[in-house]
Amino acid sequence: MATHEKVDVAIVGAGASGSVYAAVLAKAGKKVVLLESGPDWQLTDLISSDFWGRRIKPASGPFLLEGKNPFGYVYQAGWGVGGAALHYFANFPRLLPNDFKIKSEHGRALDWPISYDDVAPYYDRVAGDIGVSGDAKAEEIWRPAGKPYPMPPMKTFRHGEIWLKGFEAVGIRMVPAAVGMNSAEFKGRRACIYDGWCHVGCPIGALANPVVTYLADARKAGAEVRPRATVTRVLTNPQGTKITGIEYYDEKKERQVQEASVVVLAAWSAQNPRLLLNSATDRHPKGLANSSGLVGKYMMAHFSSGTWAMFDEDIQNHMGTTGAQFMSYDRYGKTSHPGTFGSSFITAGSAMKTSDLGGFANARVDLFGPDLHAFMQRAARGLTRIGAFGEELPNIENRIELVSDKDEFGMPLAKIVHSYDQDAIALWNANFEEGLKIAKAAGAKESWSGRGNMPTIHLMGGTIMGTAADNSVVNSYGQSHELPNLYVAGPGIFATAGASNPTYTIFALSLRGAEHLAEKWSTVAG
Ligand SMILES: Cc1cc2nc3c(=O)[nH]c(=O)nc-3n(C[C@H](O)[C@H](O)[C@H](O)COP(=O)(O)OP(=O)(O)OC[C@H]3O[C@@H](n4cnc5c(N)ncnc54)[C@H](O)[C@@H]3O)c2cc1C
Ligand code: SF4
């Protein structure tokens, strides 16, 4: 076993949240090391192909998947530098003010310990840091005013525009989607060429992935990225009052210790609780930061109701990005659909490839042989899709627990138990019904709901934020209530899920948490 020279900050995971902490703290002059279990991907490793794209993604994780609606990995997990955000779709909606106070306003779910106004300035700053394209003014029909986005909206294409008539007919206002992509050259990064390969990583750097944004800044400021380093435990002093560092296994599967004044867990919503639970000691028998028993609890996901539509013209569905062209919060009110509860966030107009994620070969799973062939011939020109993301409320039964089976490093696997409740199912159905009405009003020749197993997109929760140690794991900065030199970052700290894709909020909360840590350094790291 080797012990490395002590650093100021050890960050576990070099994805979306970890890269922000690394940039802020390295720029503040701290000695920062990021421990990343996967490879050190470069832009040159990104190849615009569904087959090659699989190299940069995890096939599964060290988790057993249980419950009525087991978690899936494809829309949320990453592996290697950049994390899932290396190959995300970069839809960048914000949460809205109504997300932060559901308990106060409806007597359901949980309140966040902060409000929209606490996060809003960080949304604006993230946009300026990494580049967001969109029309802030247009969005302000649903939210308080903020700064304009640094780039104008992306180009639109017929497969997105063709839906607008249908949305208008049912009273849904669509505005240009906010996306973490370059509609123009931005800080030396090229403008998007609309070839629709974002889901396997953007080789020209037009997609705001961590490698070309916060992580690049962190490296420039001296942060070290240590790839192929899998963290297995967070270490504490004998009294159990302070974090002292982390244990990890290197590429040769040799055990190493990295001492640090502060540890930031940024290894995604599923791994962070697993690490905290596996770091139990005599002083912390239930795991670190877990006297409340809430580590691993309140896991949440988004579901999506996709509506497919076939049109009788060439709508250029190969063009564009895998992000959306248009978006709407018109169904974001928690009681927008009668008889259901929760927000919906609507998107339209993502480019379509043949196979893999969202590809048109999977749009009619009931077809085989000549029927499938005929369908694909039409779909290649005329098929398009809209989607409505739905909100799942936090439920303590949706949880992560360690199990006795072990991984290759001897660390216990975990199980993720997840089932949707009746509210979620009702909302999922309501969005399908409305989707078909929109397709009909848009003049689609055929339309159908993309049903199947109810999807689980964007894993959140497990280390939720709150006001105190008896109702949450961390405070609004991601700092553990119990061990002040331990931080948790990422969607795991969300108290509720909203219906907006999470990463813009992940970046904003991470910026807020990292700057708070830099400001309070001497008291936290002391
Ligand atoms: C196909 C796809 C499309 C998506 N589209 C969108 C979208 O349009 N909009 C949106 O908002 N979000 C989207 N997401 C989700 C988004 O990418 C994630 O929400 C975000 O990246 C999560 O950030 P994170 O920092 O928590 O985790 P990640 O960015 O995944 O980073 C976690 C890192 O930790 C590393 N790690 C894990 N365990 C360990 C360990 N034990 N030791 C060391 N390192 C470890 C992982 O390898 C990974 O690199 C998408 C994701 C995918 C996969
Ligand atoms: S569509 Fe744009 S952002 Fe997506 S991979 Fe192509 S150039 Fe990059």
Side-chain angles (χ1 to χ4, degrees), residues 14-26:
S17 54
S19 64
V20 181
Y21 270 85
V24 171
L25 294 165

Side-chain angles (χ1 to χ4, degrees), residues 82-264:
L86 185 67
H87 44 75
Y88 64 168
F89 298 177
N91 284 319
F92 265 30
R94 310 160 179 231
L95 294 175
L96 293 193
N98 66 347
D99 285 316
F100 293 82
K101 300 282 170 232
I102 307 183
K103 179 108 180 139
S104 310
E105 289 174 3
H106 299 276
R108 309 277 311 262
L110 302 167
D111 278 348
W112 291 53
I114 46 175
S115 70
Y116 176 83
D117 292 342
D118 294 302
V119 190
Y122 296 92
Y123 282 131
D124 288 341
R125 286 190 39 213
V126 168
D129 285 349
I130 69 175
V132 173
S133 299
D135 183 345
K137 260 273 144 301
E139 274 174 41
E140 286 166 10
I141 52 175
W142 296 295
R143 64 166 172 87
K147 284 197 181 153
Y149 291 121
M151 285 174 281
M154 305 286 284
K155 266 190 203 160
T156 58
F157 297 88
R158 184 76 181 135
H159 62 96
E161 293 153 3
I162 204 162
W163 289 97
L164 295 179
K165 190 170 80 168
F167 280 112
E168 201 184 342
V170 301
I172 293 178
R173 296 163 295 178
M174 300 299 283
V175 304
V179 290
M181 294 170 182
N182 293 353
S183 59
E185 193 177 309
F186 183 77
K187 293 190 176 174
R189 286 167 37 218
R190 286 179 57 188
C192 174
I193 55 170
Y194 300 98
D195 63 347
W197 285 106
C198 331
H199 62 301
V200 285
C202 174
I204 67 166
L207 183 76
N209 78 39
V211 172
V212 293
T213 58
Y214 285 116
L215 205 58
D217 292 349
R219 284 180 142 135
K220 231 178 273 161
E224 176 196 343
V225 179
R226 210 172 289 164
R228 306 268 187 194
T230 303
V231 175
T232 48
R233 277 175 76 84
V234 180
L235 306 172
T236 47
N237 63 2
Q239 304 79 21
T241 52
K242 268 187 91 149
I243 302 297
T244 56
I246 44 112
E247 167 198 86
Y248 71 96
Y249 285 81
D250 66 14
E251 181 157 25
K252 297 186 193 128
K253 298 199 177 150
E254 280 172 13
R255 182 174 179 270
Q256 311 268 351
V257 167
Q258 176 62 63
E259 293 184 347
S261 303
V262 173
V263 166
V264 181

Side-chain angles (χ1 to χ4, degrees), residues 260-283:
S261 303
V262 173
V263 166
V264 181
L265 293 184
W268 184 51
S269 313
Q271 286 281 16
N272 292 336
R274 179 174 173 239
L275 283 166
L276 291 171
L277 295 172
N278 192 46
S279 303
T281 63
D282 294 351
R283 302 280 169 173

Side-chain angles (χ1 to χ4, degrees), residues 176-518:
V179 290
M181 294 170 182
N182 293 353
S183 59
E185 193 177 309
F186 183 77
K187 293 190 176 174
R189 286 167 37 218
R190 286 179 57 188
C192 174
I193 55 170
Y194 300 98
D195 63 347
W197 285 106
C198 331
H199 62 301
V200 285
C202 174
I204 67 166
L207 183 76
N209 78 39
V211 172
V212 293
T213 58
Y214 285 116
L215 205 58
D217 292 349
R219 284 180 142 135
K220 231 178 273 161
E224 176 196 343
V225 179
R226 210 172 289 164
R228 306 268 187 194
T230 303
V231 175
T232 48
R233 277 175 76 84
V234 180
L235 306 172
T236 47
N237 63 2
Q239 304 79 21
T241 52
K242 268 187 91 149
I243 302 297
T244 56
I246 44 112
E247 167 198 86
Y248 71 96
Y249 285 81
D250 66 14
E251 181 157 25
K252 297 186 193 128
K253 298 199 177 150
E254 280 172 13
R255 182 174 179 270
Q256 311 268 351
V257 167
Q258 176 62 63
E259 293 184 347
S261 303
V262 173
V263 166
V264 181
L265 293 184
W268 184 51
S269 313
Q271 286 281 16
N272 292 336
R274 179 174 173 239
L275 283 166
L276 291 171
L277 295 172
N278 192 46
S279 303
T281 63
D282 294 351
R283 302 280 169 173
H284 298 275
K286 293 198 286 181
L288 299 184
N290 196 26
S291 63
S292 61
L294 290 178
V295 168
K297 301 285 170 41
Y298 295 120
M299 302 306 305
M300 299 168 276
H302 291 142
F303 40 90
S304 174
S305 311
T307 301
W308 295 97
M310 188 78 84
F311 289 86
D312 241 357
E313 60 175 290
D314 184 351
I315 54 174
Q316 295 183 310
N317 59 11
H318 62 294
M319 294 291 292
T321 74
T322 48
Q325 294 175 35
F326 301 100
M327 66 176 191
S328 179
Y329 291 100
D330 265 339
R331 298 290 180 266
Y332 208 85
K334 302 295 170 193
T335 54
S336 293
H337 286 295
T340 71
F341 191 88
S343 296
S344 302
F345 172 71
I346 299 167
T347 60
S350 49
M352 217 172 279
K353 297 296 177 213
T354 313
S355 57
D356 222 305
L357 275 186
F360 64 77
N362 305 319
R364 284 287 305 270
V365 286
D366 55 321
L367 297 181
F368 296 93
D371 291 342
L372 177 60
H373 189 226
F375 167 77
M376 285 180 65
Q377 273 181 329
R378 286 184 298 134
R381 296 276 187 275
L383 187 68
T384 172
R385 184 184 58 224
I386 53 171
F389 290 95
E391 170 175 23
E392 176 180 29
L393 298 185
N395 171 353
I396 200 158
E397 293 303 320
N398 287 330
R399 63 192 189 275
I400 289 187
E401 289 169 0
L402 297 184
V403 298
S404 53
D405 294 350
K406 304 251 168 54
D407 69 10
E408 58 191 310
F409 307 108
M411 179 176 177
L413 303 182
K415 66 174 174 183
I416 310 180
V417 184
H418 179 260
S419 304
Y420 283 120
D421 63 14
Q422 280 312 312
D423 278 315
I425 295 167
L427 188 57
W428 190 50
N429 287 327
N431 280 323
F432 277 131
E433 272 171 39
E434 186 155 55
L436 291 177
K437 282 187 204 151
I438 296 163
K440 202 168 164 213
K445 187 129 203 282
E446 294 162 47
S447 56
W448 63 98
S449 301
R451 283 179 183 273
N453 293 333
M454 199 169 161
T456 54
I457 308 172
H458 307 140
L459 185 56
M460 293 157 282
T463 48
I464 63 162
M465 63 162 79
T467 50
D470 61 357
N471 62 26
S472 55
V473 178
V474 296
N475 66 19
S476 71
Y477 298 103
Q479 182 183 27
S480 153
H481 294 295
E482 291 169 36
L483 292 155
N485 65 338
L486 173 65
Y487 277 66
V488 186
I493 69 173
F494 291 13
T496 60
S500 305
N501 312 53
T503 310
Y504 197 15
T505 307
I506 296 171
F507 281 133
L509 290 177
S510 301
L511 188 57
R512 184 172 179 272
E515 289 190 345
H516 179 258
L517 170 56

